[in-house]
Amino acid sequence: LRMLSAKPEPADVTFFRERLTAAITHRETIVENSDAYRLVFSEADLLPGLIVDRYGPYLTMQTLDQGMERSRDVIAHCLQDLIAPTGILARNDASVRKLEGLPLEVVKLAGEIPERVHVKMNGLTLEADLLHGQKTGIYLDQRENYVAAARYLKAFGGNARVLDCFTSTGGFALHLAAKAGSVEALDSSAPALATAQANAEANGIANIDFRQADVFEFLSGVSANEGRRYSMVVLDPPAFAKSRKSLDDAVRGYKEINLRALRLLGPGGILVTCSCSHHMSEAMMFETVAQAALDAGKTLRVLERRAQAQDHPILLTVPETLYLKCLILQVL
């Protein structure tokens, strides 16, 4: 059941125009220092099954159920009227569409979409691949957490040694580099790392070592070397629990990477650990990291409990809208 309204009313141009206007107005209130953000977040904007992301003058859309799919052109028309974007792209290659019997496809709905789009985020210039990149181009939901994590490097006086695991296109690494002495950034995807390197060069950042590696294997190998220590370790893995059936395995995976990361941190060290699996609650994540800390012989202080950026709103009565958990912890 996808609930559009609590009263009988047609889902027509007027309906979508009002809902989209409300979503746009909300972003104008809460988004700062970025021209790349989520414009519509499904149920959280009372438009279940619809995702719209903004990348400067371009928009990407996902219509994830049959109802929104049938309304796709009406929605695109409303967005053109309200925002006048240079181009609108339907990134309908999300596998969840298969559950609705919908094809996986990428379709230009309006204007032109270049191979690469450059956007501004927190003072950085970032490259987004709207046609082939992760999600609808790049990850947007950690935008505020990047800034939050960087604050805690001040204590190291510019000499911080940072390890960014699952860096993707370099979100955390690029934001942390300005306040760190050196950053090692790991990911298994060569194309993502190529974009990350291009982002670093575009911003004149030279103290990041991007490395293609399996994070589990890397952490296992480094943990064996007791002399290796970092000031901060960032864990931002892909969703381990994509369904309730995989939750037990996911918990084991989360515990293992947190355990290995904690072994690389001495007193005062910072662990930034994230989970984007909505099946894993914050309470479950706390318990998992606590068990890892006990096994590692570490005492952790909670510095911050964070969620996704505000352009991904959370509805109190729809728990699925709270999916990203980000804990910033300090070793005592």
Side-chain angles (χ1 to χ4, degrees):
L1 174 66
R2 304 294 183 117
M3 181 70 76
L4 289 178
S5 176
K7 62 182 180 181
E9 59 178 316
D12 55 13
V13 173
T14 300
F15 172 86
F16 282 109
R17 189 180 184 88
E18 289 178 354
R19 294 287 171 91
L20 291 170
T21 298
I24 293 166
T25 300
H26 180 58
R27 273 49 180 203
E28 290 172 348
T29 302
I30 54 99
V31 174
E32 295 180 342
N33 303 320
S34 180
D35 63 0
Y37 51 88
R38 180 143 295 179
L39 201 61
V40 177
F41 184 38
S42 199
E43 285 87 352
D45 286 297
L46 307 182
L47 288 167
L50 176 65
I51 299 292
V52 182
D53 288 337
R54 183 168 195 168
Y55 292 92
Y58 303 96
L59 299 179
T60 58
M61 284 176 51
Q62 291 182 319
T63 46
L64 302 176
D65 61 36
Q66 291 194 20
M68 285 298 173
E69 176 75 2
R70 286 195 293 271
S71 300
R72 186 189 72 182
D73 293 340
V74 172
I75 295 167
H77 173 74
C78 290
L79 290 169
Q80 284 180 294
D81 284 349
L82 293 169
I83 297 178
T86 301
I88 302 177
L89 179 72
R91 271 297 299 268
N92 283 328
D93 50 355
S95 60
V96 69
R97 280 173 56 95
K98 294 179 181 179
L99 302 177
E100 297 273 333
L102 297 172
L104 304 187
E105 57 188 8
V106 178
V107 181
K108 294 179 184 178
L109 301 180
E112 291 299 321
I113 304 293
E115 282 292 324
R116 294 288 189 273
V117 173
H118 289 91
V119 297
K120 297 292 186 181
M121 181 184 293
N122 302 325
L124 295 171
T125 298
L126 302 178
E127 182 180 285
D129 181 352
L130 305 191
L131 295 168
H132 312 102
Q134 292 285 348
K135 302 293 184 179
T136 62
I138 57 176
Y139 291 107
L140 301 173
D141 49 10
Q142 292 276 28
R143 187 183 72 255
E144 295 166 5
N145 296 333
Y146 295 150
V147 177
R151 285 199 296 265
Y152 295 98
L153 291 181
K154 293 179 183 178
F156 300 97
N159 298 314
R161 187 181 186 188
V162 176
L163 177 64
D164 178 21
C165 301
F166 310 99
T167 192
S168 187
T169 54
F172 273 105
L174 294 164
H175 283 80
L176 297 172
K179 297 182 179 179
S182 64
V183 181
E184 294 176 55
L186 312 177
D187 204 276
S188 61
S189 169
L193 289 172
T195 300
Q197 184 64 55
N199 284 336
E201 292 170 2
N203 290 279
I205 298 172
N207 62 335
I208 306 177
D209 177 18
F210 291 105
R211 192 179 310 174
Q212 187 174 7
D214 179 287
V215 171
F216 280 89
E217 291 180 2
F218 179 88
L219 290 178
S220 179
V222 174
S223 295
N225 181 357
E226 293 301 326
R228 194 79 167 265
R229 286 289 183 269
Y230 293 92
S231 312
M232 175 182 285
V233 177
V234 178
L235 300 175
D236 186 20
F240 288 167
K242 295 185 178 180
S243 68
R244 288 187 179 87
K245 292 180 180 179
S246 62
L247 188 55
D248 289 344
D249 288 339
V251 168
R252 284 191 288 272
Y254 280 121
K255 180 183 176 183
E256 187 62 28
I257 60 169
N258 279 279
L259 172 62
R260 294 180 183 184
L262 285 169
R263 288 174 175 160
L264 303 179
L265 293 169
I270 305 294
L271 174 65
V272 181
T273 182
C274 310
S275 168
C276 60
S277 302
H278 80 81
H279 295 290
M280 187 171 194
S281 67
E282 185 189 58
M284 189 178 298
M285 186 172 176
F286 262 117
E287 177 66 21
T288 301
V289 178
Q291 290 295 327
L294 289 171
D295 287 357
K298 309 283 186 179
T299 299
L300 299 181
R301 173 163 53 201
V302 178
L303 298 178
E304 292 194 47
R305 302 161 60 181
R306 304 184 61 85
Q308 65 257 26
Q310 286 182 287
D311 54 327
H312 295 63
I314 298 166
L315 280 193
L316 190 60
T317 53
V318 184
E320 291 84 358
T321 58
L322 171 55
Y323 68 96
L324 178 62
K325 282 75 60 180
C326 175
L327 305 180
I328 304 179
L329 309 164
Q330 184 178 43
V331 179
L332 297 182

